[in-house]
Amino acid sequence: RSSSLRIEKLFAFWGQDLDAFTTPLECGREFRVKLDKGMDFIGRDALLRQRQEGVYKRFTMFILEDHDADLDLWPWWGEPIYRNGCHVGKTTSSAYSYTLERHVCLGFVHHTDEETGEAQVVTPDFINRGEYEIDIAGQRYRAKAKLYPFSSLFTQRRRKDDNIELSFQGK
């Protein structure tokens, strides 16, 4: 249960989702690094350069849309991620979301030029404009990509209006 809560909140787990080669900008934690305070630290120049040039992988949440938790195999981690039919990454964590009543996966999305094979910058627009599928044991399931946890969007809307519906309810 605690794993599903962290995944619902898009909290990365060190050693499973993150490693020593993942930067705060790649996993959506740029707010944790005070680059504009003028303090020097190891890696600051690299992070400033990355902020200027963009990231080449992006930690993303995927909410499985056509997956039946009672009948279909469950995702674990390491499942291929497809965007518009092209392989763009793999999952690093997954769990059943009791809030959404469906499976949620976390993973990194990469952007590679189809013609040259050269790595491209992964922008929020690239993430948001794609049609995604997660391959679980050879079966692909449609997935909705999110850069922010649905709970933060739910909280923002709730503040505006007490009568909110969670847009992912139902199967």
Side-chain angles (χ1 to χ4, degrees), residues 1 16 18 25 29 33 42 46 52 57-58 70-71 86 90 96-97 102 110 114 123 125 128 130 136 142-143 158 164:
R1 176 96 172 132
Q16 184 168 338
L18 307 178
L25 281 73
R29 299 297 184 262
V33 183
I42 295 171
Q52 180 70 30
K57 65 179 182 178
R58 190 72 177 247
D70 294 326
L71 300 175
C86 297
K90 66 178 184 170
Y96 182 78
S97 167
R102 52 184 75 210
H110 302 264
E114 293 178 28
T123 63
D125 193 51
N128 293 328
I136 303 170
R142 285 190 330 269
R158 182 186 293 160
I164 178 171

Side-chain angles (χ1 to χ4, degrees), residues 50-69:
Q50 192 176 52
R51 183 170 74 174
Q52 180 70 30
E53 296 172 4
V55 297
Y56 290 89
K57 65 179 182 178
R58 190 72 177 247
F59 195 55
T60 308
M61 172 189 283
F62 297 93
I63 302 166
L64 297 183
E65 295 184 332
D66 58 350
H67 182 269
D68 186 327

Side-chain angles (χ1 to χ4, degrees), residues 62 79-91 109 130-136 139-143:
F62 297 93
E79 288 85 13
I81 301 168
Y82 291 90
R83 179 186 183 275
N84 300 340
C86 297
H87 181 261
V88 292
K90 66 178 184 170
T91 63
V109 171
E131 297 289 327
Y132 290 90
E133 295 174 305
I134 306 295
D135 184 319
I136 303 170
Q139 175 73 39
R140 290 190 189 181
Y141 298 92
R142 285 190 330 269

